[in-house]
Amino acid sequence: MKNKRRAIAMLLSTALMMGALAGCGNNGGGSGSGSEGGGESSDGGKTIAVIAKGESHAFWQSVKAGAEAAAEEKGYDMTFRGPASESAKDLPSQKEMLQTALSSNADGIVIGTIGEGFTDMLAQAYDKDIPVVQFDSGVWENDIKALDDMGKNPIVSHVATSNTLAAGLAAENFFEAIKEDIAASDGNYVVGIIQHDETQTGIDRAGGFEEKFAELADADETTKGKYKIEKEVKPGDADNAYKAALEALYEKGAKAIFMSNEGVVKQVSDAIAAAGGKYDDVKFCGFDAGTKQIEWMKAESGAKLIGSVAQDSYQIGYDAVMQCINAIEGSTVEEKVDIAGAWWDATNVDEMKEKNLVYEG
């Protein structure tokens, strides 16, 4: 009997010890999912809430793929949400998404806002010690200024394409393609720019292209003084604004036109298709990607789309989540991460699609 009681006591002691060890393993500081990056499994693990400016568009789907890859690599859970559109009517929806992330105590937030009015919620993130990474066009300047004035700015990094550098890359390649035409002209070769809106993105893309193109053309003795740059700035794509911009530049004698985003490319492409051979002698350069642009790039007749510069949307998502994880774990965080654009044309379009740099949709 004595031996039996001793055996039962030993079994109880062992059970208690195993339970204690199991409890330690479930503490919030565990590594979870076998990763070295800190973050746990989906049961009580660390979560990054990504709130984008959209969700269904191919660009955002590529961003999402990059974000998912970073989260999986480091053993974190991730949620990805975005409003139905980037218009003001969907601003309340995006604000609700941020409030949900705060209420659920996400460990980190990645966000690009479609408007102003996020100051109070981002201040809550600061109070909760939740690091925030802004990505793509980020958080609007007035909100950031208000956060700084309050001394409650939780933003630790900004990850985005450098619109100025990307547009400069487009200018370099476009200039190479048309410089012989400029050199052979009567001295008044018109290069057009269609700026898609009056936001900082539109300004940076149009300005980056114009500055780099002028720099290259003025440095080449065969083209110096033989060109003129004309620009059409539109507030958006409503009422076929970009088609109107195309016609205005054509009336000014434009022989080459840079289009500053995918929306411009789509409208211009439709206008060209409906105009017969009217624009066949004009050469074009685009920005971003999309099915319409890919089809135009591969076309063997009609007005020529020389090439385009794509944002590395996959890398934007990947780096934004990585910077957020670094902040959570106390690792080095880069305050500004400029993602380089990539030039693509008919010769490398399929390769660029495989690398997630060029998307359809």
Side-chain angles (χ1 to χ4, degrees), residues 22-291:
C24 289
N26 286 330
N27 257 341
S31 61
S33 302
S35 91
E36 298 177 358
E40 299 179 9
S41 67
S42 56
D43 287 333
K46 291 187 172 69
T47 300
I48 308 294
V50 181
I51 302 165
K53 292 168 65 178
E55 190 170 351
S56 59
H57 189 280
F59 175 85
W60 293 113
Q61 285 297 305
S62 180
V63 170
K64 181 180 179 181
E68 285 175 334
E72 183 177 353
E73 181 179 325
K74 302 295 281 185
Y76 279 66
D77 294 326
M78 186 206 70
T79 61
F80 191 101
R81 302 182 67 192
S85 75
E86 295 184 26
S87 66
K89 68 181 179 64
D90 286 313
L91 187 58
S93 171
Q94 196 183 39
K95 289 180 177 179
E96 182 181 337
M97 292 170 189
L98 177 55
Q99 189 59 63
T100 297
L102 291 166
S103 299
S104 62
N105 291 316
D107 295 279
I109 294 171
V110 175
I111 190 169
T113 62
I114 60 175
E116 297 178 344
F118 289 83
T119 304
D120 291 341
M121 283 184 285
L122 289 172
Q124 288 179 45
Y126 180 90
D127 290 336
K128 289 178 172 236
D129 200 24
I130 300 173
V132 175
V133 172
Q134 57 174 329
F135 74 156
D136 191 50
S137 55
V139 177
W140 285 37
E141 187 176 345
N142 285 342
D143 280 346
I144 293 176
K145 184 179 184 303
L147 289 165
D148 287 337
D149 290 344
M150 294 166 63
K152 290 188 175 186
N153 190 342
I155 299 171
V156 296
S157 180
H158 186 188
V159 179
T161 299
S162 169
N163 287 302
T164 301
L165 294 178
L169 177 63
E172 289 178 26
N173 285 276
F174 202 32
F175 174 72
E176 284 300 315
I178 65 175
K179 71 176 181 179
E180 290 184 4
D181 296 339
I182 299 173
S185 72
D186 59 6
N188 192 29
Y189 190 98
V190 178
V191 178
I193 296 173
I194 301 178
Q195 180 179 319
H196 66 278
D197 61 23
E198 296 170 306
T199 65
Q200 195 62 50
T201 298
I203 292 169
D204 288 347
R205 290 184 185 180
F209 179 90
E210 183 173 6
E211 182 178 346
K212 177 56 72 171
F213 192 95
E215 174 190 323
L216 295 169
D218 289 345
D220 191 315
E221 289 301 321
T222 68
T223 58
K224 184 178 182 180
K226 285 192 163 189
Y227 72 96
K228 180 182 180 183
I229 295 178
E230 294 281 356
K231 182 164 58 179
E232 287 288 321
V233 181
K234 297 299 178 182
D237 62 357
D239 301 320
N240 293 317
Y242 304 146
K243 291 180 182 180
L246 168 66
E247 182 59 26
L249 290 173
Y250 183 79
E251 291 297 322
K252 293 176 182 178
K255 295 295 183 183
I257 296 175
F258 169 65
M259 303 167 290
S260 70
N261 80 348
E262 183 184 351
V264 179
V265 175
K266 286 181 176 179
Q267 273 198 24
V268 169
S269 176
D270 289 343
I272 289 171
K278 178 178 179 178
Y279 300 106
D280 281 2
D281 292 333
V282 182
K283 294 177 179 176
F284 293 85
C285 175
F287 206 107
D288 292 325
T291 301

